[in-house]
Amino acid sequence: MPDVLIIGAGPAGLAAARAARRVGAAVTLLDASDELGGQYWRHLPASRPAERENLLHHGWSTFTALRAELEADTGCTIVRGANVWAIETREGRPGAVFVVVGEPDGANREQRVFEPDALVIATGAYDRTLPFPGWELPGVFTAGAAQALAKGERVAIGSRVLVAGAGPFLLPVAASLAATGSTVVGVYEANRVKALMAGWLPKPWQVLRAAKKGGELGGYVLNHLQHRIPYRLGTAVVRAEGTDRVESVTLASVDALWAPIPGTERTVAVDAVCVGHGFTPRLELAIAAGCALDGDDFVGVDEQQQTSIPSVYAAGEITGIGGVDAALAEGEIAGHVAAGGSVLDAALRPAVAHRRTYRSFGRRIEDAHGVRAGWRGWLTDDTVVCRCEEVTYGALRGAATATGGESLRSIKLASRAGLGICQGRVCGRTVEDVLDSLSPGHSDGPRSAAEDRVRTDRRPIALPLRLGELADEPTLS
Ligand SMILES: Cc1cc2nc3c(=O)[nH]c(=O)nc-3n(C[C@H](O)[C@H](O)[C@H](O)COP(=O)(O)OP(=O)(O)OC[C@H]3O[C@@H](n4cnc5c(N)ncnc54)[C@H](O)[C@@H]3O)c2cc1C
């Protein structure tokens, strides 16, 4: 019976664990969080349950069924508070997986090391917010943080909140804000009608296969109508203003590439603003394991969800942003194959069909709502790009010029962008984008991040760790 280790207990990891158990593998499921469910099914802890938790979640019964089955199964060991900080691969196979178990940054955490026969990496995504002047003011939230506070704590981020950015995720965020008592003054999507049509209209029969998503969309439209929340296209937050915290935001109409159109600025009074521009995959562990990335900077997988490393599988948002249904389908396939099954097995047919449907859904989201290059038009020289180290756009450009076009690594060391406590989780992709825009193809800037193969998410130690923990002898599990 193979040992399958699964990192991440979001939709993809949970589905992988169940599928691997059904094939007969011994499964260990690790998650840094105290609760199962990942980002999508983030919920109040069992110690203070919500009366009707299902109100803020789609597919809540799918989650509770998965959780109940795995918790009752003695062949599945679930380790909560398990922070995986490094992975070694040996001779092209999974080697050791290093874990500290306990509170994030807590004292006396337990050190453990696992040496599984097969590994499924399902670490999900970070939410992405592009910088704009004033985004470091208190009261400015990323869309993911606002959603996490609403779902995981039932905390409203403000009483008069504006939601902006790009992507369908803005709709559930607005719904959660309204459900927790905020007045949502509007939802502003930066992409224009033409982009949305280019993403959503072609091959409509594919969209019809994902009819369930149509139902969810209908629910959000109803929510907007009930709460009288306006939804506007081609508009972006280009500035946040305030003394000690945000007091207003400036909106501007933007063109198809998101460049602000002069003369269209208007100011809206708010006490909180919530901005999200999609998601970026959480790649540190997959990169540490040696998994190759695809052309779009996600973990590359084959039809079996196997990465470039034999017996290392990947599923969910790290292989492409496709939402919960793609994550569930990919997780099921990864777990089944990791446990010794075949992708051709009849039991996997529905999952394989779902993966096809929802991956195409993910591609539509990118075509319709993807980030366009003109956003740099709302940056000023004193806009903070890296919040931890307070590196401004001007300082970043200065470092690029001063280092004479050496590499992303030189610019990081010269400016300290991406070297603070978040280790580039918030700003990494933005720093890479800005530097790419200064690269030879664009101007006299440095070699691009892609060209010098240095990435902000290439880190031998994936999570903040105490020196004492590094020195400790881990227990082999
Ligand atoms: C902040 C945030 C909020 C979101 N909210 C929604 C929403 O409300 N609705 C929606 O449709 N989509 C939401 N999404 C998108 C969502 O991520 C996906 O649709 C879905 O949850 C993807 O499932 P997944 O299993 O791939 O990843 P996730 O659900 O993100 O699960 C990944 C799991 O891996 C764990 N993990 C990561 N790294 C480590 C590590 N080093 N050690 C141990 N464990 C680790 C995490 O704790 C997490 O539980 C959100 C995304 C983010 C980033």
Side-chain angles (χ1 to χ4, degrees):
M1 181 159 68
D3 272 332
V4 177
L5 183 74
I6 297 165
I7 307 174
L14 290 169
R18 180 171 62 186
R21 280 299 298 141
R22 287 183 176 177
V23 178
V27 168
T28 304
L29 176 61
L30 307 177
D31 200 290
S33 171
D34 288 337
E35 303 292 332
L36 307 184
Q39 301 292 2
Y40 191 76
W41 288 311
R42 189 188 280 269
H43 56 280
L44 286 178
S47 54
R48 46 189 176 96
E51 243 174 59
R52 289 189 295 162
E53 184 66 68
N54 60 325
L55 282 187
L56 284 187
H57 302 271
H58 286 111
W60 183 247
S61 57
T62 305
F63 167 60
T64 51
L66 271 166
R67 182 177 59 183
E69 183 171 336
L70 294 173
E71 283 181 339
D73 182 348
T74 50
C76 177
T77 306
I78 300 173
V79 189
R80 295 170 165 89
N83 302 273
V84 181
W85 59 271
I87 299 183
E88 279 176 8
T89 36
R90 291 186 194 135
E91 292 152 14
R93 300 189 69 76
V97 175
F98 296 89
V99 185
V100 283
V101 184
E103 292 282 301
D105 199 32
N108 304 319
R109 294 191 292 185
E110 184 195 357
Q111 289 264 20
R112 293 176 69 174
V113 59
F114 295 83
E115 293 188 348
D117 299 316
L119 179 63
V120 178
I121 307 178
T123 47
Y126 297 117
D127 65 328
R128 183 174 190 199
T129 294
L130 300 170
F132 51 89
W135 76 309
E136 69 279 20
L137 277 170
V140 179
F141 289 79
T142 69
Q147 181 74 333
L149 282 169
K151 280 185 167 179
E153 299 292 339
R154 298 296 190 274
V155 168
I157 59 168
S159 52
R160 198 178 145 76
V161 186
L162 183 141
V163 177
F169 183 49
L170 302 181
L171 302 177
V173 172
S176 301
L177 287 168
T180 44
S182 302
T183 299
V184 181
V185 299
V187 175
Y188 295 89
E189 157 76 48
N191 287 294
R192 300 168 76 97
V193 178
K194 211 169 158 191
L196 265 57
M197 284 169 44
W200 291 110
L201 286 191
K203 302 185 183 163
W205 60 91
Q206 289 181 347
V207 182
L208 289 178
R209 272 189 223 128
K212 180 172 145 200
K213 291 283 173 200
E216 287 175 20
L217 179 64
Y220 294 133
V221 171
L222 204 63
N223 178 69
H224 270 56
L225 293 174
Q226 265 169 359
H227 292 96
R228 297 168 191 267
I229 304 172
Y231 181 78
R232 302 272 180 273
L233 297 173
T235 309
V237 167
V238 294
R239 203 160 51 243
E241 299 96 358
T243 314
D244 297 323
R245 59 169 294 122
V246 65
E247 290 160 16
S248 62
V249 291
T250 299
L251 294 168
S253 301
V254 292
D255 67 16
L257 291 177
W258 293 14
I261 300 171
T264 61
E265 293 190 350
R266 58 215 183 268
T267 299
V268 182
V270 292
D271 63 3
V273 57
C274 162
V275 184
H277 298 97
F279 301 99
T280 55
R282 200 164 168 169
L283 294 174
E284 302 90 342
L285 291 177
I287 291 178
C291 304
L293 303 186
D294 65 18
D296 295 322
D297 279 346
F298 292 98
V299 178
V301 287
D302 61 16
E303 282 303 293
Q304 315 194 72
Q305 297 297 133
Q306 185 167 249
T307 68
S308 58
I309 305 290
S311 301
V312 177
Y313 300 81
E317 305 280 73
I318 58 166
T319 70
I321 305 301
V324 61
D325 297 287
L328 283 167
E330 291 187 3
E332 185 176 344
I333 297 165
H336 182 94
V337 180
S342 160
V343 73
L344 301 175
D345 289 344
L348 275 194
R349 261 184 226 139
V352 170
H354 276 125
R355 177 176 65 181
R356 198 177 315 117
T357 300
Y358 290 107
R359 269 190 185 164
S360 92
F361 214 74
R363 280 191 292 276
R364 286 172 188 275
I365 293 177
E366 179 55 28
D367 290 348
H369 304 275
V371 170
R372 321 285 162 181
W375 66 271
R376 293 183 213 102
W378 65 62
L379 296 177
T380 58
D381 268 358
D382 55 5
T383 307
V384 172
V385 174
C386 164
R387 296 162 68 140
C388 302
E389 294 290 316
E390 296 185 354
V391 182
T392 60
Y393 180 54
L396 208 52
R397 289 200 307 160
T401 311
T403 52
E406 279 300 312
S407 69
L408 174 61
R409 189 191 299 279
S410 318
I411 289 148
K412 274 171 61 180
L413 293 175
S415 67
R416 293 207 50 80
L419 296 181
I421 186 71
C422 93
Q423 291 285 288
R425 286 181 190 86
V426 177
C427 67
R429 194 52 71 86
T430 298
V431 169
E432 287 171 12
D433 268 13
V434 167
L435 295 176
D436 276 350
S437 77
L438 301 170
S439 73
H442 298 264
S443 69
D444 296 333
R447 288 205 306 268
S448 73
E451 222 176 322
D452 70 9
R453 307 196 62 74
V454 177
R455 306 178 47 92
T456 49
D457 36 23
R458 191 178 291 280
R459 282 193 293 273
I461 298 178
L463 299 169
L465 208 63
R466 290 165 187 253
L467 277 176
E469 289 173 328
L470 257 185
D472 272 354
E473 190 66 39
T475 320
L476 184 60
S477 296

